[in-house]
Amino acid sequence: ILNDEHLGSTSLEVLDHNFSTETTRITTKAIMDSKPGVFIFFLLNYFCFVSASSIGHLRRGLAVSCLGSTDALDFKNIGLCSDDIILNKIEVALQELGSSCTNDKWEEAQALTGASSNWSAKYNLRSICNAEIVYTACTTLDSLNFQNIGACTDSRIEDVIERALPQTCLHSTDQEVKLLASNSNLYSAKRWLKDYCESKIVRETCVGSVDDLRFETISNCYYGTIRSRVDETMSDTCLHSKYQEMVILTGEKDTTSAEKSLQNTCKSQFGCTISSTLNINGCDFSSIMSKINTSLGSDCPHNADKEIQIITGTSSLERAKLYVNNMCNNAWSHVDTRSFSDIDSKFDADFMSEYINGGTFLNNETGNLKGPDNPLFPTSDQSRSAGAAIGNFYQNGARNTVLESVSDLETCQSQAMMCCFGRDRQSNDNNGNCGDNDCKNADPADNSNLCYTTPSNTPYFGEIEDKIHCHGFAWAQDDNDFTSKLKYNNLYYVAMYDHLYVRGYVERAVDNGDDIPMCGCIEDMPKVSRSDCTQVDASLTFTLSRGTNNLLAASAKDNLRINFNQCRGKDFDDGKAENNDLASHTVKLVEAGEISAQKQAEIFDVLVGYAEPNDNENEAACVAKYEATIEGTNYPCFDIDQSDLNGCDYNTLLSRIKEDLREDCPHDAMKELQIITGTTTDSKAKQYIDSMCNDAWEKVEKTSFEDIDPRFDENFMDQYYDGDTFLNSETGNFRGNPNPLYPVSDASRTAGESILDFFKDEADSTALQGIPKLEECQLQTMMCCFGRDRQSGDNNGNCNNNNCADASPADNSNLCYTKPSLTPYLGNSEGSIHCHGLAWAEDDNDLISRFKFNNLFFVSMYDHMYTRGYVESMVENDDDIPMCGCIEDMSPVSRSDCTQVDVTQSFKYSLNDNGALQVAPNNDLDINFNSCRGKQFNSNRNANNDLASYVNKLVIQGKMTNVTQKAVYEVLPGFASPNNNNNEEACTSSFCRVNPDKDFCLLQNSLNRKYYALTEAGGFTKETSIDSNSRDDCLKFCETYDAAEYSKYKSG
């Protein structure tokens, strides 16, 4: 065993281990098997092996170190005193000595340390190394970026250090902590680093700003909800807590103060109410404001006016009111609704119109609607059936459903209706004067005096009208108030149930030439001393909650209940309670802010004894009112008889009256119109004039497109304006010398001759009638956009004698994109196109409206096709765009030329035998077609031959609304630059507004998105991006703009 040759390459340690293990196993087995001989044998052999090992160790202990000392290992710069690194150092050093040293690394380790075993050598070397090593930090304090650590906790600091350590660093994170702090005590080093971190950290928000929390979309403003919103808004890389973030966001000193500050901000954006749901009786602005006032809470940072703006996403109280009105109107639309024809199928619109005017069998017949028949006046089957239906509806419908309107009464101006009955048809009901033996012309119970009827001003003094009975009701100006929503329920109750079915009261107060109704808007009723009154008292629960965009929403429950009661009112003079009187009820509604003082004056103009509610006779009030009326207010001040005016429409007539009204006239032009038309309101005067003029225009000579050429029937014209007839598809000249290369067909030649003949003979002297396809244009504008020139030699377009197969017209516009595919035509990809349009007034009787199809003929068929040869639509693609059409059906183009008609057509105005206005046309029609004279948008400078500028002029003249103008400008996006025929910028902007996700639109939108919204609201006039110089102006303007829109743009 001691002989190295016998050992070979096997080390003593291996033999020692193997021998010891095997010996132990065999010896243990011998003891267990009771074989002492075997046990003694192995024990002796073990002692022998141990002795041999000891001799071997002794021999190694006598080895001499080749390196001399551990100084050769340079422990000072070793980096880490691990066994592997130390032994590797020894091995490398021995290799450098080469064959001059026969020691292996273990022998050299024992020799260097005087150890008798490898384990002892390793231990000694580690001790020497640890005593000599000099540690150096692998990082620097500056490289640790404590500025952005987020929070200076031990774990965060250790994490930052660990991530900063390079892979080549040989010591631990704790050793690095001690080295960075220059402190060998780990606890003290960590404390020092924490203090250093606190001195360097920069507290920056991970959210951005409080606005980025978007409290307007939160569910409530409780602290927990706010903390959750902060937490979910923080970026994933944020290193500090949501509590620290709240402190940073608000600049407050602690979390409690920060939470309170954020809650106040939340309430200013989300609101202090409607965090879940609220139930309210009724849905109207007044009721909701009252509910908000009671629910606001003392800790809310704003008042109810601000709260309603916040929860409706509006920027003013008026806009909030409009929002609430629309919301409530929508909620009311889901409430169970009935019509008068649901009461009885006979009660359709025509029947009800006749009934309230005192007609139908209900008014004309005599007999009982309820109770036993009067033998002398038996009830007809139709009256009996109608009475049963009326009574049944009171029990099953009138008190739990909303009754729809009567068309004749939808435009009441003074917020009140009244019925005045002149006859009692029913006996045995303890009402009126109809008895079993005398009921033919019985009077109702008398409760008022008829003063006089209009417009004839026929007086009824001394009760010459006999007995009359008047009963009415009034409602609030808010359309969603119970009294407004249920006014037709009230009409049913007053007219049909309480007075017809229960009392038998029918027919109008008197019959004369003034044709007064039995029931009507109060402004249409005759002057009377007073009227009884019924009010509705109703309940219906609405649930207020947060709906779309977290804004206020309302829904109605199915629990409508209606009661009909005597009106509660206040005496006009002393304010004392006064019931069952319409004038006194009006006083109370004024006091409640539900009727204006102006409306009260209009009602009192009919109820002339308003100051004496208990006086059913009040003859004195009737006489005084009549005398005041006769003293000059109801006689014309303008002698219109036999006057000639150019045109027949409301505005023309009103303008003439304003010009020529006598200076000493006691009334204005509007009242003058009412007098000469025999009406009592402005709206009825306009209706009279519209109807009168429409009849007069029918007498002006008319022509049709088939009168131009028999081929031009409705189907042909539809195809022509789509760009699909031979007139569009062929090539060749309509006029001038023929082109030998492109001979004109007989069909085109004869059509051209017909067009020329019509232009010379009838286009300027008859009213050309339209085609159905173009008669319903919604935006008062038509436009043609041509894509080809078919005719040479006319000095227009690009068709010439040698090249005309696919020639383009003269270019005057840019095609932006086609609808509905939103195919863009940016650059000049559409080629040259030519657009030309026309516009007209909102009033159908205006001269430019009456002759819009003459203008269309001139633009499309004469000026552009016959004269210039322009045909076909701009481009051909799957959108199938027309060549000419209503502008809302055309694809957006940058601009368009424009033609207007200047018309002479005079009318003779006169008064008929009854003093009412009448009119007839003169035979002097003359139409001229001229370039439009317009006003440039936002500058009002003259801008001719431009459709957008002409539209702007119509708006200025009051002939077109701003809403219509805005819709037209969606199709003419270059409206602000009328002289720019190549306005590519406007086209790009227009396209990117409807298709913002297109690649080339992304940059465009990031620059200009704010501009678009502001331009729509009239805030800016020049297409520029909102740069830093104009940012303040932009934000100031946004403050007056809709808050919901503002919130989209304010952050940038």
Side-chain angles (χ1 to χ4, degrees), residues 288-405:
I288 290 175
M289 287 298 290
S290 177
K291 189 69 173 180
I292 288 174
N293 265 314
T294 59
S295 307
L296 210 52
S298 59
D299 60 342
C300 188
H302 50 256
N303 61 19
D305 286 355
K306 184 63 178 176
E307 176 73 6
I308 192 66
Q309 294 174 49
I310 292 170
I311 63 179
T312 57
T314 55
S315 57
S316 69
L317 199 58
E318 284 305 311
R319 292 191 178 194
K321 187 177 294 186
L322 180 61
Y323 179 100
V324 169
N325 287 344
N326 291 336
M327 174 194 74
C328 288
N329 192 57
N330 180 63
W332 270 106
S333 69
H334 294 87
V335 178
D336 189 12
T337 303
R338 305 289 174 85
S339 67
F340 277 90
S341 60
D342 290 325
I343 302 173
D344 188 304
S345 59
K346 295 187 288 294
F347 297 174
D348 59 16
D350 290 339
F351 181 94
M352 291 306 299
S353 176
E354 189 177 353
Y355 167 71
I356 63 174
N357 281 290
T360 76
F361 64 87
L362 292 175
N363 289 296
N364 300 332
E365 293 180 359
T366 300
N368 299 348
L369 295 172
K370 72 183 186 73
D373 262 357
N374 183 332
L376 295 179
F377 306 100
T379 305
S380 70
D381 289 342
Q382 57 183 357
S383 281
R384 176 68 66 184
S385 172
I390 292 169
N392 180 65
F393 186 72
Y394 178 74
Q395 301 296 333
N396 303 289
R399 293 180 291 176
N400 57 14
T401 63
V402 178
L403 192 55
E404 291 178 344
S405 66

Side-chain angles (χ1 to χ4, degrees), residues 417-419 469-472 494 498-499 503 531-534 580:
M417 293 186 211
M418 183 173 69
C419 298
H469 189 97
C470 295
H471 201 115
V494 168
D498 186 35
H499 287 85
R503 314 188 198 194
S531 170
D532 288 350
C533 178
T534 291
N580 196 33

